Amino acid sequence: MFGYRVPAPDEAMLISGGRRGLGGAPFRVVTGHGKFVLPFFRKTRFLTLAMCESEVTETCVTRQGIALNVRAVIAFKVGNDTESIINAGQRFLSDQDQMSVLTGRIFAGHLRAIIGSMTVEEIVTERQKLAAEVLDTSKTEMAKIGLIVDSLQIQSIDDGDAGYIDAMSAPHRAAIQRQAQIAQAQATQTAAEAQQEAARKQAEYARQTAVVKAEYSAEVDRAQAQAAQAGPLAQAHAQQEVLAAQTELAQRQAQLRQQQLVAEIVKPAEAEAERIRLLAQADAQRMKIQAEAAASYDRVALDRMLIDQLPQIVKEAAGGLAGANVNVLNGADGLGEIAAGLVSQGLTILDSVRQNLNGQEGEGRSSGNNNGVLELRGNNGRKADDGPVDVD
């Protein structure tokens, strides 16, 4: 709309002209909203409220008399309140770039003053303290010109060719270098150990790989050998099974044949042997009985025969003596003794024959002395008779 003006969010609109509502200020301040401005009767200007930056590079002398080159950066802006805007507008509205130049000069002066009261060690080791003191001392002065400082950063501190800071830092630098060397040595040792461990692991891996390859190769060779032998082994196994079956069949046939032989030969032979044994026992028993009966009969018959033939035996003995040259002593008594001796001899012969028969019963009934022929001999050893006497 014609005549209606609106400032940017980081700007303050300053309206000059007219007297009403100023309150002693040379212009009216509008921020954050628009305002209708009569054209030709009012004049509007804009003052930036954005952040500005100023860089300070200053040579400062410390309390020890050592010159230091200090570089700092200041971040500042126009305050948001109406008073700060009016103060800044009256000073910088026509040339707003002068805010950075003036701010740098102000802070350069405060830096020289504060650094002059400090030692190099304090400045180097306590930079934050230096920045805080500079801010505190410049705050009132900056407020007068409508500016506020948001931050102050000390960028660098250098003593040029004096070498004081280097000398001050030498022990620390040596300690740091020593620590760095120790750390480097430890790192080198760690790296060497890591390399050795890696080499060992590689060697172990290579060994395991070789072992696995060898085992795999052996397994493949074994499988191939087994596959190559599978056919002959199967055939041999089949032949072995056939031989086992044939052997078992032969054993069964042999057992069957043995049983047949036992049934056909052994059993009949045993039965025949048993029959022969029984027949032999029966025959032996029969012969024993017959022998016992014959022996009993022979003894009775022999006794009878001897009794019957005893007179004849005596007679024959006497007859044998008839042709002998016998000298009879004592007359009739001597002849009686001879006769008595003959009778006694006959009885002795009878007892001898009986004992002979009794001793030969075990050898058979028909095995008598000279097939049952009795020989009688005289005292001179000749036969009592020219022929034998049959006793049957």
Side-chain angles (χ1 to χ4, degrees):
M1 181 180 293
F2 181 74
Y4 191 80
R5 307 295 296 275
V6 179
D10 58 348
E11 288 181 341
M13 186 172 62
L14 305 180
I15 304 173
S16 60
R19 297 179 180 178
R20 194 172 49 183
L22 296 178
F27 44 78
R28 183 181 293 111
V29 178
V30 178
T31 58
H33 59 85
K35 187 73 175 178
F36 183 77
V37 179
L38 292 175
F40 306 110
F41 297 97
R42 303 286 187 271
K43 188 175 181 180
T44 58
R45 299 283 184 89
F46 295 93
L47 179 67
T48 181
L49 302 178
M51 179 68 66
C52 298
E53 179 179 314
S54 177
E55 182 174 348
V56 177
T57 302
E58 190 70 18
T59 300
C60 307
V61 179
T62 65
R63 188 176 62 187
Q64 300 161 319
I66 299 173
L68 298 177
N69 297 320
V70 181
R71 179 175 175 273
V73 176
I74 304 107
F76 66 95
K77 65 182 291 296
V78 177
N80 295 327
D81 57 294
T82 303
E83 182 180 0
S84 296
I85 295 172
I86 293 173
N87 292 333
Q90 288 178 343
R91 290 172 176 84
F92 307 111
L93 184 60
S94 59
D95 189 3
Q96 298 185 24
D97 293 335
Q98 287 297 319
M99 289 188 295
S100 298
V101 176
L102 182 59
T103 301
R105 290 176 180 176
I106 293 172
F107 273 89
H110 288 292
L111 276 174
R112 286 193 300 271
I114 295 173
I115 288 176
S117 63
M118 298 176 67
T119 63
V120 178
E121 288 79 5
E122 292 175 347
I123 295 171
V124 172
T125 58
E126 298 179 1
R127 291 189 181 186
Q128 191 64 31
K129 177 182 178 182
L130 174 62
E133 289 183 2
V134 172
L135 286 175
D136 289 338
T137 56
S138 62
K139 183 181 296 183
T140 302
E141 190 173 356
M142 294 291 289
K144 288 180 181 180
I145 59 177
L147 302 177
I148 58 175
V149 179
D150 289 338
S151 67
L152 171 64
Q153 296 293 330
I154 305 299
Q155 297 293 323
S156 63
I157 299 175
D158 185 14
D159 61 352
D161 297 333
Y164 188 89
I165 296 176
D166 291 339
M168 183 181 64
S169 63
H172 302 286
R173 186 166 58 249
I176 292 174
Q177 289 178 354
R178 183 172 61 254
Q179 293 177 357
Q181 291 175 356
I182 294 173
Q184 182 65 32
Q186 292 177 351
T188 303
Q189 181 179 0
T190 304
E193 291 177 354
Q195 290 178 355
Q196 293 177 357
E197 183 67 18
R200 187 186 65 80
K201 289 183 177 180
Q202 289 179 356
E204 181 67 19
Y205 178 77
R207 186 186 67 81
Q208 293 179 356
T209 302
V211 170
V212 170
K213 287 182 178 179
E215 291 179 351
Y216 178 76
S217 179
E219 185 177 358
V220 171
D221 294 340
R222 184 168 55 253
Q224 291 178 352
Q226 290 178 355
Q229 295 176 357
L233 287 176
Q235 185 177 1
H237 185 67
Q239 291 178 356
Q240 185 177 3
E241 291 182 352
V242 171
L243 290 176
Q246 290 178 352
T247 302
E248 184 178 1
L249 178 60
Q251 291 177 354
R252 291 184 179 179
Q253 290 177 352
Q255 292 176 358
L256 180 60
R257 182 58 182 166
Q258 183 178 4
Q259 293 176 359
Q260 290 177 353
L261 291 175
V262 169
E264 294 176 357
I265 298 175
V266 177
K267 294 297 183 181
E270 290 179 353
E272 182 64 20
E274 183 67 19
R275 186 183 66 82
I276 294 172
R277 188 182 63 82
L278 293 176
L279 290 176
Q281 289 180 356
D283 188 53
Q285 187 68 23
R286 181 180 60 79
M287 292 178 65
K288 181 179 179 182
I289 294 172
Q290 290 177 356
E292 289 177 355
S296 178
Y297 176 76
D298 290 341
R299 284 194 299 273
V300 173
L302 180 60
D303 291 340
R304 188 182 301 120
M305 181 190 69
L306 291 175
I307 293 172
D308 292 341
Q309 293 184 3
L310 183 60
Q312 182 66 27
I313 294 171
V314 174
K315 181 180 178 179
E316 294 291 335
L321 292 175
N325 188 9
V326 179
N327 293 322
V328 178
L329 300 177
N330 298 328
D333 293 333
L335 183 61
E337 290 178 0
I338 293 171
L342 291 173
V343 174
S344 177
Q345 186 177 4
L347 294 175
T348 301
I349 292 170
L350 178 61
D351 290 336
S352 179
V353 171
R354 286 178 178 175
Q355 292 176 0
N356 190 17
L357 290 174
N358 290 330
Q360 292 178 355
E361 286 181 358
E363 296 178 0
R365 181 177 57 84
S366 60
S367 60
N369 189 10
N370 294 327
N371 295 326
V373 178
L374 177 63
E375 294 182 355
L376 297 177
R377 299 181 181 269
N379 292 332
N380 56 2
R382 297 187 303 163
K383 292 182 181 179
D385 196 280
D386 292 335
V389 180
D390 190 0
V391 296
D392 283 339

